[in-house]
Amino acid sequence: MVRSMKILSVAAAVMMSAASGFTPTASNSYGTISRPLSPPPLQAAVSASVLDGPSTPVLDRPSTIERQSQDKSKSTDREMHPNGDWILRIYNDNINTREYVAVCLVQVVGLCESRAYYTMQDAHHNGIAKVGEYNQEVAECYEEQLIDRGVMCDVVSADGE
């Protein structure tokens, strides 16, 4: 009876202690640098002239960075325009898995995973899918990289020529 009371008191002491399984330990056995769980306190600049007087301190206005306006009509980078002159298309095939085609679209063209999956599913169900519209050089570069990876694709003019 006394022994079970000792065990219960030890268990209660362990449960009531501040340390838990989620508390970081002081020793670091994995070689990584531990960091505090909460962010450091924010620092604010206070005017020196305010500290001299009896009034309450006033925070300085934060510094801001002025954005430079950019004339978009002078931009020569046509890769950024969503509607290019050439359409990159992929075809359904029985060689590559659908997952592989989606991964290739993410890695080569830079589509997000959901858009790559949607495009791949479109090609799977319809036999062909539009990946995007690009200028000719970019579209041909994407086509070359996709063909190198074994994905069936082509580039056609957006004008229908």
Side-chain angles (χ1 to χ4, degrees):
M1 180 76 169
V2 174
R3 186 168 192 231
S4 63
M5 291 297 278
K6 286 183 180 179
I7 293 174
L8 287 176
S9 64
V10 169
V14 168
M15 292 173 59
M16 301 288 284
S17 70
S20 72
F22 299 105
T23 306
T25 59
S27 67
N28 202 347
S29 61
Y30 296 110
T32 59
I33 300 172
S34 63
R35 60 179 175 84
L37 297 177
S38 62
L42 297 175
Q43 302 294 323
V46 178
S47 300
S49 61
V50 173
L51 294 176
D52 296 336
S55 65
T56 59
V58 177
L59 294 177
D60 290 339
R61 182 177 183 167
S63 62
T64 58
I65 299 172
E66 294 292 327
R67 290 187 180 214
Q68 298 176 353
S69 63
Q70 188 177 29
D71 187 12
K72 293 180 181 169
S73 63
K74 294 181 181 177
S75 176
T76 58
D77 187 10
R78 293 193 55 209
E79 179 181 351
M80 300 306 290
H81 294 286
N83 297 326
D85 297 336
W86 298 85
I87 298 174
L88 176 64
R89 303 182 303 186
I90 61 169
Y91 295 95
N92 185 33
D93 63 5
N94 294 329
I95 300 168
N96 299 311
T97 64
R98 290 183 281 173
E99 293 80 12
Y100 176 74
V101 173
V103 167
C104 288
L105 291 174
V106 169
Q107 292 175 347
V108 172
V109 183
L111 297 180
C112 66
E113 291 179 5
S114 60
R115 181 68 185 162
Y117 181 82
Y118 174 80
T119 304
M120 172 273 303
Q121 284 291 84
D122 192 22
H124 178 69
H125 292 294
N126 301 322
I128 189 171
K130 174 182 167 182
V131 176
E133 296 183 12
Y134 308 97
N135 65 9
Q136 185 177 9
E137 293 82 13
V138 173
E140 289 175 352
C141 179
Y142 289 159
E143 177 190 25
E144 181 181 336
Q145 291 179 36
L146 287 171
I147 289 173
D148 287 346
R149 292 172 184 237
V151 177
M152 292 177 52
C153 63
D154 69 353
V155 174
V156 295
S157 173
D159 299 333
E161 295 175 359

